[in-house]
């Protein structure tokens, strides 16, 4: 008797999504390790001066933070890139923290992201790095670490692209919409689902877009959809901490700061919404009605306002947070011993002065 066993032509959609996201995370972690290793070898006076000038100007720092969040659409990627710069002494933690605030706001600039084809740029970077290896530039003492750095950047961005590609079908997946439909009856359930789904999708903007789609279809109102968006915002802080809780020293300060930033913002935003609901004072919901915003547009406004309120919530306590992070997660012995105490950048310009 012949056994008729059928092999499925393709995996279920949700399995493909999870495998793609898992592969993206693997590339992401590999890229981070390569960037950190090669950047440590490249850190010098000239690189310190260039990056120092970029972050010293508040206007330029704001622009760089917004652009990084808009192009990458991943605050985690921005944080891990900054962590390598901080751990190698290129910039300080105090200079890196404001960039995280602006990168969070930059993730809301979907129009800018749509104008930039990140996928093709990533493929070009990986291809050029492969050509550099073929030309044996990795064996050159001058270009070896630069090629390794480009490979790390290419793998990091490729990992982000894999995660975004894997999570993109979630916007239209029927099971995802069925999962979020019960939020129309429970604000608490909507918040918890926003947290859970964002931890899987690794993208608060993706979950927010799903909530906007359901709001446009009349499944969610503004209040319940806002709960989903706030849950997604909190999950972005939790996700950064989960990915980077093993980072040592100063680098860990950045992921803890992202968690504090998002937690504070969600708490403050929730307090404002509850104040409006229970007291009837006209604030966000009333403004949406006066402006005639559709439910989907109102949730988009909630996403942007959440980033702004997060920044405003921590601003009065910025110095206290810096001291807490420095005390709780001090620089490692390797960081301290790797920084010169008696040599200055000005002194290094003249060998005799340096001696």
């Amino acid at each position: 008797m012949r056994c008729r066993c059928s092999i499925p032509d393709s995996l279920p959609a949700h399995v493909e999504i999870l495998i793609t996201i898992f592969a993206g995370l693997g590339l992401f972690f590999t890229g981070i390790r390569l960037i950190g290793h090669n950047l440590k070898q490249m850190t010098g006076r000239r690189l310190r001066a260039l990056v120092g000038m970029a972050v010293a100007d508040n206007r330029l720092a704001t622009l760089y933070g917004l652009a990084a969040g808009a192009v990458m659409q991943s605050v985690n990627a921005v944080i891990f890139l900054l962590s390598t710069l901080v751990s190698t002494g290129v910039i300080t933690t105090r200079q890196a923290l404001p960039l995280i605030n602006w990168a969070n706001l930059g993730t809301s600039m979907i129009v800018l992201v749509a104008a930039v084809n990140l996928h093709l740029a990533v493929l070009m970077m990986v291809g050029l790095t492969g050509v550099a290896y073929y030309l044996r530039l990795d064996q050159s003492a001058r270009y070896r670490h630069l090629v390794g750095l480009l490979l790390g950047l290419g793998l990091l961005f490729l990992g982000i692209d894999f995660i975004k590609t894997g999570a993109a079908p979630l916007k239209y997946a029927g099971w995802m919409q069925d999962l979020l439909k019960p939020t129309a009856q429970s604000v608490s359930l909507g918040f918890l689902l926003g947290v859970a789904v964002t931890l899987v999708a690794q993208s608060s903007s993706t979950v927010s877009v799903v909530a906007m789609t359901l709001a446009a279809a009349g499944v969610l109102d503004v209040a319940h959809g806002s709960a989903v968006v706030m849950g997604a915002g909190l999950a972005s802080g939790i996700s950064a901490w989960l990915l980077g809780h093993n980072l040592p020293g100063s680098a860990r300060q950045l992921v803890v700061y992202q968690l504090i930033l998002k937690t504070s913002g969600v708490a403050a935003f929730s307090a404002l919404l509850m104040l409006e609901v229970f007291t009837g004072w006209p604030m966000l919901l009333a403004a949406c009605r006066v402006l005639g915003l559709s439910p989907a547009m109102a949730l988009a406004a909630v996403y942007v306002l959440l980033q702004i309120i997060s920044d405003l919530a921590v601003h009065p306590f910025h110095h206290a947070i810096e001291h807490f992070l420095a005390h709780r997660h001090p620089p490692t012995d390797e960081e301290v011993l790797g920084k010169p105490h008696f040599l200055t950048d000005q002194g290094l310009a003249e060998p005799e002065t340096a001696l």
Side-chain angles (χ1 to χ4, degrees):
M1 184 176 179
R2 183 176 298 175
C3 177
R4 297 181 178 179
C5 300
S6 60
I7 300 177
D9 296 332
S10 61
L11 294 173
H14 64 279
V15 176
E16 291 187 5
I17 290 174
L18 293 177
I19 291 177
T20 303
I21 293 176
F22 183 70
L25 289 173
L27 291 172
F28 182 89
F29 290 132
T30 304
I32 286 295
R33 179 61 64 88
L34 287 174
I35 291 172
H37 173 72
N38 289 282
L39 194 60
K40 287 180 180 178
Q41 307 301 322
M42 294 176 59
T43 301
R45 181 171 57 88
R46 182 174 299 177
L47 180 60
R48 291 175 187 268
L50 290 175
V51 179
M53 287 189 297
V55 299
D57 191 327
N58 291 333
R59 291 172 295 181
L60 285 178
T62 299
L63 180 61
Y64 290 153
L66 289 173
V71 173
M72 296 184 188
Q73 281 295 291
S74 173
V75 180
N76 289 347
V78 178
I79 290 174
F80 278 91
L81 284 176
L82 291 175
S83 69
T84 58
L85 296 175
V86 170
S87 62
T88 54
V90 177
I91 62 175
T92 64
T93 304
R94 175 171 295 182
Q95 293 172 322
L97 295 183
L99 296 178
I100 297 177
N101 294 44
W102 290 112
N104 277 283
L105 182 59
T107 58
S108 60
M109 297 183 180
I110 303 176
V111 176
L112 177 60
V113 176
V116 179
N117 194 333
L118 183 62
H119 178 72
L120 294 181
V122 169
L123 296 182
M124 285 293 295
M125 181 179 294
V126 174
L128 291 174
T129 306
V131 172
Y133 273 98
Y134 177 76
L135 297 177
R136 299 181 182 276
L137 294 180
D138 60 304
Q139 298 180 10
S140 168
R142 184 175 183 180
Y143 299 109
R144 178 171 65 248
H145 299 299
L146 177 61
V147 173
L149 176 64
L150 291 176
L151 177 60
L153 287 171
L155 293 180
L156 183 142
F157 290 136
L158 187 62
I160 296 171
D161 191 63
F162 267 53
I163 295 173
K164 291 171 61 178
T165 301
L170 296 177
K171 302 177 184 178
Y172 314 103
W175 62 269
M176 173 67 74
Q177 298 187 7
D178 293 338
L179 183 64
L180 291 178
K181 280 181 180 179
T183 62
Q185 286 76 38
S186 172
V187 172
S188 300
L189 181 59
F191 182 84
L192 293 176
L193 281 175
V195 172
V197 176
T198 302
L199 289 177
V200 175
Q202 291 291 307
S203 173
S204 59
S205 58
T206 296
V207 177
S208 298
V209 169
V210 174
M212 291 167 59
T213 304
L214 294 177
V219 177
L220 291 177
D221 58 16
V222 176
H224 292 83
S226 298
V228 178
V229 175
M230 288 189 294
L234 178 62
S236 66
I238 298 175
S239 173
W241 184 83
L242 290 176
L243 290 174
H245 73 281
N246 287 328
L247 290 175
S250 301
R252 190 174 181 182
Q253 295 181 24
L254 303 186
V255 297
V256 176
Y257 177 76
Q258 170 71 354
L259 180 60
I260 294 174
L261 177 69
K262 305 308 291 187
T263 303
S264 303
V266 170
F269 199 86
S270 301
L272 291 176
L273 284 181
M274 288 189 294
L275 186 64
E276 181 177 11
V277 170
F278 290 113
T279 64
W281 294 349
M283 286 187 287
L284 174 64
L285 300 179
C288 293
R289 290 191 295 267
V290 171
L291 296 175
L293 297 180
S294 65
M297 287 298 297
L299 294 186
V302 167
Y303 184 87
V304 176
L305 286 174
L306 180 60
Q307 318 310 319
I308 297 174
I309 291 177
S310 298
D311 182 43
L312 295 176
V314 300
H315 188 74
F317 312 101
H318 193 76
H319 293 296
I321 294 174
E322 282 186 12
H323 290 303
F324 166 76
L325 293 175
H327 176 73
R328 189 70 178 83
H329 305 289
T332 62
D333 294 339
E334 181 183 8
E335 292 181 62
V336 176
L337 295 175
K339 296 178 182 178
H341 285 269
F342 303 102
L343 292 179
T344 64
D345 291 341
Q346 293 77 13
L348 291 176
E350 297 288 343
E352 296 81 3
T353 306
L355 292 176

